[in-house]
Amino acid sequence: MKYLVMVQGSQADYEAMAGRGSAQSPAWDEKQLKAMFDHMNAITEEASANGELVDAQGLAAPSTARFVTVDADGKPLVTDGPYAETKEVLAGYWVLDCASLDRVTEIAAQVARCPVPPGSPDHPVVIRPIDETGPAQD
């Protein structure tokens, strides 16, 4: 079964990793940033070595996102965002092909144990099964 393992964060977290801390997220130093990247890369390398890795990516800061909707005539409406007050966004992900929900939960727990500076927010790691067949109608 394939699963999407999602790491959440906020614009404040991206600012903090760039050394610009706030009341929501303390500034990271280079040593803390390296520890975080080493931890995440080790998870990716282990999943790859086990044949479980399909894809993994970190995402650019939420401030670079664009929202696209359409108006009544079907023309695109583009909005920059999300803005700094947005609570949580997708910060990165792994697509994993694991033998069981228990196994992907073990990996998500490794992700959740990522080292962060004291006082950093605690964001959940989200697991979603990938539906490769589409919804079934009974």
Side-chain angles (χ1 to χ4, degrees):
M1 178 82 173
K2 290 183 183 157
Y3 298 91
L4 178 62
V5 176
M6 298 172 279
V7 178
Q8 295 183 318
S10 69
Q11 181 64 39
D13 297 323
Y14 281 82
E15 295 293 328
M17 287 187 280
R20 297 181 298 274
S22 66
Q24 296 92 351
S25 195
W28 293 53
D29 62 31
E30 287 185 32
K31 183 178 177 183
Q32 292 164 326
L33 206 59
K34 181 179 180 336
M36 183 268 298
F37 281 117
D38 288 349
H39 180 86
M40 296 302 195
N41 287 334
I43 292 168
T44 301
E45 289 170 10
E46 178 184 350
S48 180
N50 291 340
E52 298 169 317
L53 181 67
V54 176
D55 187 31
Q57 302 292 328
L59 300 176
S63 61
T64 65
R66 296 180 87 190
F67 290 90
V68 179
T69 59
V70 293
D71 66 15
D73 297 322
K75 294 180 183 169
L77 297 172
V78 180
T79 307
D80 293 336
Y83 302 103
E85 66 271 10
T86 300
K87 293 192 181 198
E88 290 183 347
V89 297
L90 181 62
Y93 67 89
W94 287 265
V95 175
L96 301 171
D97 191 349
C98 294
S100 67
L101 181 58
D102 287 342
R103 173 63 184 140
V104 75
T105 301
E106 289 173 18
I107 295 169
Q110 288 178 310
V111 173
R113 287 192 286 274
C114 182
V116 297
S120 292
D122 184 22
H123 297 291
V125 177
V126 179
I127 300 169
R128 297 277 305 271
I130 294 176
D131 184 356
E132 295 184 287
T133 61
Q137 294 184 348
D138 297 327

